[in-house]
Amino acid sequence: MRFFKLFIGLALIGTLIAAGAISTAQTLDETAAMQGPLTPEPAVAQASPSSGGTGETLTQDDINAWLDGYMPYALRSGDVAGAVVTVVRDGQIVAAKGYGYADVGKGTPVDPARTLFRPGSVSKLVTWTAVMQQVQAGKIDLDADVNRYLDFEIPPRDGQPVTMRQLMTHTAGFEEAVKDLISFDPKAAQPIGTYLKRWVPERIFAAGTTPAYSNWGTTLAGYIVQRTSGIPFDDYVEQRIFRPLGMNTATFRQPLPARLEPLMATGYPLASGEKEGFEIVVPAPAGSLSASGLDMAKFMIAHLQGGGPILDAKTAAMMHDSPLDKVDPASLIPPLNRMELGFFETNINGRDVIAHLGDTQNFHTSLHLFMDEGVGLYVSFNSTGKEGVVQEVRGQLFQDFADRYFPASGTDGRVDPETAKRHARMMTGVWMNSRRGQSNFIDILNLFGQTDVTLDADGGLLVPSLVEPGGAPRKWDEIAPFVWRDRTGHDRLAAKVVDGKVVRWSFDMVSPFMVFDPVERYRSKTWILPLLYASLAILLLTALYWPATWFVRRRYQSELRVAGNARRAYRAAGIMAWAELLTIGGWTALVLAMFTQLELLSGASDPLLWLAKIVAIIVFVGAVPIAGWNAWLTWTDGRKWTSKLWSVLFLLATVVVLYVAIVFHVLVLSTNY
């Protein structure tokens, strides 16, 4: 059973992957006195009355009162250290609020104007803005082969190159790159060119057809900006984006510049737990930004007001609403949210909303822009919280904000019950999400991470892994053919149907950058996992039978009834049973350790990975002929039928283990992943 638990642990890791010091107030005052204000005073103003539908009017007084009632309880009940929230409207800051602590031990409160948070992948919006500046300058063609801008080559797939448009919409086809993602070691930082050139992830999807979120692809885009502009990336964003916007606390540099280091919020898994150090995001353009809430408000205002002064209105409009005729229809599942050029849609209540989310190990962030309303909402937390509660809090904050100020004015339709049941049945099966590693040992997580779609007691659609905040499975109502709405929420789920068969589906919060496709039969967990668990049981019983029978023979002074080659095969089979179990256990322990200790998701684990791969090749491949030899001799020397049956079962068990290791790329001789 121990090995079964280890494999289950591996499965849990697969579900977790879909991918996070400031000093005392006295030190802050001293720093300000020496350097002068790092950030201008907030331009907080009373917004002119405006409301959406029958919603509340978004004013300074109302939003501040609402946030003050919302945030403190969310932080305390979730064991979250601190948060910053900024709200902008019509070019003005309506709210800039800090909650909780930037440093729990020192009691340092969050200051929205000065405390730095790590917005994680929200950093990508800065990188994509830099790309669009280069497009505007005529130095980057969105639809050209990116190899024209590089000093190394991205191989074609099916003759098709990668374009910048595909990078910005996460449809270049790259598999997930996990190695050297985040570290607490300052020495982990490296030039982005060095990071990119060591390994080009395999393109597992045809160009333009499949959204598959890629930190590596964003880093490639940042490198292209560096090469086309002739300016190091960190310098570029400071000169061309942060300085024009007055974002004086913002930087992509790692570690932080000395003047900003005292302003950095401390990251905590739990507010009640131990603090952790500054996180180094190795693919820096994809997530290394540090910035105050007030600076992020300035960034939102720029994008809400046509890009000025960092983009012209035409370029900003193209970025915010990319033309559909430039998008491969295969990558879309209407009417779900889609990728724009860097931003992704989070449309709600009939409003046009573009956004980005971001996560490091300890910081968790969201930025949403209500384009027609001229409103932006930014929130960042410096703790994951109890049971990852901030994921729910930031999502619910956005939805509750929209419902309060910009509620829906219409109602959904409804598909008749019998048709709805038929459509739900067509959805059933096992599916694999597109954001994944596949050409290396990380692929083993895809065996355990396959998503079930089934039916509830009433014959309706049920996706067990999609649950309400309270943990109960979501209820889905079909509101149009093959379009479902969460009964108690805003999310929609929709499917693409070709020739009467469901071929792809997704749901609003992930559809811009991740879709679910059918699992190939030869990789399906529905038959592989039962066989694998049975095989482990057979290996375990075989391994235990050998010492157990030795003890019995010793106790009763009896002899092993086989001799010669049969005895050697019998003993070799027992040794290989132990070797397989120990190898599987070692692999499981190694992968568990790598995904629970960031420092091990790096070159530091390469020696262990090489050892594990070599041992696995020797053991998994070698066990099959030894088991076959044992089975042949068992069937030809007149032993009883139980021995014959068990020898066949043992042979099949070794074949199953080898099959899984080959199909899911455990034996690939590479430490890139």
Side-chain angles (χ1 to χ4, degrees):
M1 290 299 295
R2 176 179 177 180
F3 294 99
F4 296 160
K5 292 178 180 178
L6 288 171
F7 266 101
I8 291 170
L10 196 60
L12 292 175
I13 288 175
T15 64
L16 292 174
I17 289 185
I22 102 172
S23 61
T24 62
Q26 180 180 3
T27 304
L28 290 174
D29 292 339
E30 291 172 352
T31 303
M34 289 186 293
Q35 299 179 340
L38 290 172
T39 309
E41 288 299 310
V44 178
Q46 184 79 14
S48 57
S50 175
S51 63
T54 58
E56 298 293 330
T57 301
L58 178 56
T59 65
Q60 176 187 346
D61 290 342
D62 189 83
I63 185 61
N64 283 335
W66 184 71
L67 288 171
D68 287 347
Y70 198 108
M71 294 298 293
Y73 177 75
L75 266 59
R76 292 193 191 100
S77 62
D79 202 7
V80 177
V84 63
V85 185
T86 56
V87 180
V88 302
R89 182 182 179 275
D90 294 338
Q92 295 180 315
I93 298 172
V94 184
K97 305 283 290 185
Y99 296 96
Y101 298 102
D103 190 305
V104 174
K106 297 176 181 178
T108 308
V110 173
D111 182 342
R114 304 177 62 79
T115 304
L116 273 61
F117 279 68
R118 306 296 305 282
S121 286
V122 175
S123 309
K124 290 180 172 68
L125 296 180
V126 177
T127 300
W128 299 132
T129 301
V131 168
M132 294 306 291
Q133 287 180 332
Q134 293 293 288
V135 171
Q136 180 177 298
K139 294 184 177 181
I140 293 177
D141 182 337
L142 287 173
D143 299 304
D145 183 346
V146 295
N147 281 317
R148 72 161 60 172
Y149 310 115
L150 296 172
D151 55 352
F152 68 103
E153 185 180 7
I154 308 297
R157 185 186 193 276
D158 300 329
Q160 296 299 310
V162 171
T163 68
M164 182 60 75
R165 189 183 303 275
Q166 291 161 4
L167 292 179
M168 297 187 78
T169 56
H170 296 286
T171 58
F174 291 118
E175 65 177 325
E176 183 75 285
V178 176
K179 188 177 183 179
D180 287 328
L181 191 59
I182 297 179
S183 175
F184 291 110
D185 183 0
K187 296 178 181 177
Q190 57 185 274
I192 55 178
T194 302
Y195 169 82
L196 291 166
K197 293 174 187 177
R198 65 179 186 177
W199 176 56
V200 177
E202 187 172 312
R203 294 173 66 195
I204 59 177
F205 303 110
T209 65
T210 303
Y213 191 83
S214 176
N215 289 305
W216 195 92
T218 308
T219 306
L220 182 67
Y223 186 60
I224 290 172
V225 168
Q226 179 172 289
R227 287 184 53 78
T228 58
S229 68
I231 303 172
F233 180 79
D234 291 348
D235 294 340
Y236 182 95
V237 294
E238 288 175 0
Q239 295 172 18
R240 305 288 181 87
I241 297 176
F242 299 153
R243 191 174 299 165
L245 295 180
M247 296 175 64
N248 298 323
T249 68
T251 183
F252 271 72
R253 298 184 188 277
Q254 302 176 114
L256 287 170
R259 72 180 185 91
L260 297 179
E261 189 173 352
L263 307 180
M264 187 66 227
T266 302
Y268 300 85
L270 298 172
S272 60
E274 295 296 321
K275 66 181 181 180
E276 295 186 340
F278 184 81
E279 298 165 83
I280 301 295
V281 180
V282 182
S288 71
L289 176 63
S290 301
S292 67
L294 192 61
D295 273 355
M296 295 308 295
K298 296 173 182 178
F299 184 76
M300 290 193 294
I301 288 171
H303 274 281
L304 286 166
Q305 296 200 313
I310 52 176
L311 292 172
D312 64 31
K314 180 180 179 181
T315 305
M318 178 170 54
M319 184 178 184
H320 301 155
D321 190 9
S322 58
L324 275 173
D325 62 357
K326 297 289 187 178
V327 180
D328 190 327
S331 69
L332 301 175
I333 306 179
L336 297 185
N337 291 329
R338 68 183 181 98
M339 283 296 309
E340 303 296 352
L341 291 178
F343 285 92
F344 56 79
E345 294 178 339
T346 54
N347 297 333
I348 190 170
N349 294 340
R351 317 287 176 156
D352 180 13
V353 186
I354 60 175
H356 214 292
L357 308 182
D359 300 278
T360 67
Q361 185 81 347
N362 294 319
F363 287 81
H364 307 276
T365 305
S366 64
L367 181 154
H368 297 270
L369 303 180
F370 292 73
M371 298 305 293
D372 295 334
E373 292 74 20
V375 170
L377 170 66
Y378 174 82
V379 61
S380 188
F381 302 85
N382 64 337
S383 304
T384 302
K386 181 172 56 180
E387 297 178 352
V389 68
V390 295
Q391 303 291 344
E392 293 292 347
V393 173
R394 71 175 176 185
Q396 202 61 50
L397 178 71
F398 162 63
Q399 294 185 12
D400 292 344
F401 177 88
D403 288 344
R404 181 175 181 82
Y405 297 110
F406 309 112
S409 57
T411 58
D412 288 330
R414 189 60 58 89
V415 172
D416 71 88
E418 290 306 312
T419 300
K421 289 181 180 180
R422 178 167 57 84
H423 289 174
R425 287 194 299 271
M426 293 172 64
M427 289 282 293
T428 59
V430 289
W431 304 79
M432 177 55 58
N433 76 64
S434 56
R435 186 184 181 184
R436 62 180 185 264
Q438 187 168 299
S439 70
N440 50 73
F441 76 95
I442 296 296
D443 192 25
I444 191 64
L445 301 178
N446 296 322
L447 173 59
F448 300 94
Q450 295 171 19
T451 299
D452 292 298
V453 177
T454 183
L455 303 176
D456 62 21
D458 299 321
L461 184 69
L462 177 63
V463 185
S465 59
L466 298 182
V467 297
E468 301 286 359
R474 296 191 194 185
K475 296 286 187 179
W476 298 95
D477 296 319
E478 192 170 9
I479 61 175
F482 295 100
V483 181
W484 291 262
R485 170 97 62 191
D486 180 356
R487 186 174 298 174
T488 60
H490 291 275
D491 258 1
R492 294 167 301 175
L493 184 155
K496 179 175 290 187
V497 180
V498 176
D499 296 330
K501 184 177 180 180
V502 176
V503 297
R504 173 172 283 183
W505 65 271
S506 191
F507 59 100
D508 269 330
M509 283 307 295
V510 304
S511 60
F513 47 82
M514 189 169 76
V515 294
F516 294 81
D517 293 328
V519 177
E520 300 97 324
R521 185 64 181 168
Y522 78 100
R523 290 169 59 92
S524 175
K525 71 174 185 178
T526 56
W527 68 271
I528 292 177
L529 285 183
L531 277 180
L532 182 59
Y533 293 146
S535 298
L536 291 174
I538 291 167
L539 291 171
L540 180 59
L541 291 173
T542 301
L544 294 176
Y545 179 78
W546 190 31
T549 54
W550 173 86
F551 178 80
V552 170
R553 289 196 306 273
R554 181 179 176 87
R555 174 71 176 80
Y556 293 103
Q557 300 296 311
S558 61
E559 290 290 330
L560 185 61
R561 295 181 181 179
V562 294
N565 283 338
R567 175 176 291 194
R568 284 187 282 274
Y570 168 80
R571 288 176 172 169
I575 291 171
M576 293 311 295
W578 277 105
E580 292 231 278
L581 290 171
L582 291 172
T583 302
I584 293 169
W587 261 102
T588 306
L590 176 60
V591 175
L592 285 169
M594 291 174 69
F595 280 88
T596 53
Q597 301 178 48
L598 289 178
E599 287 71 19
L600 294 179
L601 277 175
S602 67
S605 296
D606 286 357
L608 285 175
L609 269 178
W610 278 117
L611 177 63
K613 287 174 177 288
I614 292 169
V615 170
I617 291 172
I618 293 171
V619 172
F620 295 160
V621 174
V624 174
I626 288 175
W629 180 39
N630 178 66
W632 172 260
L633 293 174
T634 301
W635 277 77
T636 57
D637 65 5
R639 271 177 270 179
K640 54 187 179 181
W641 71 269
T642 52
S643 297
K644 293 179 179 179
L645 175 61
W646 195 259
S647 70
V648 173
L649 292 176
F650 178 67
L651 172 59
L652 291 176
T654 62
V655 170
V656 168
V657 170
L658 180 60
Y659 177 86
V660 171
I662 292 174
V663 168
F664 292 93
H665 300 97
V666 174
L667 305 183
V668 171
L669 288 175
S670 171
T671 56
N672 293 318
Y673 54 91

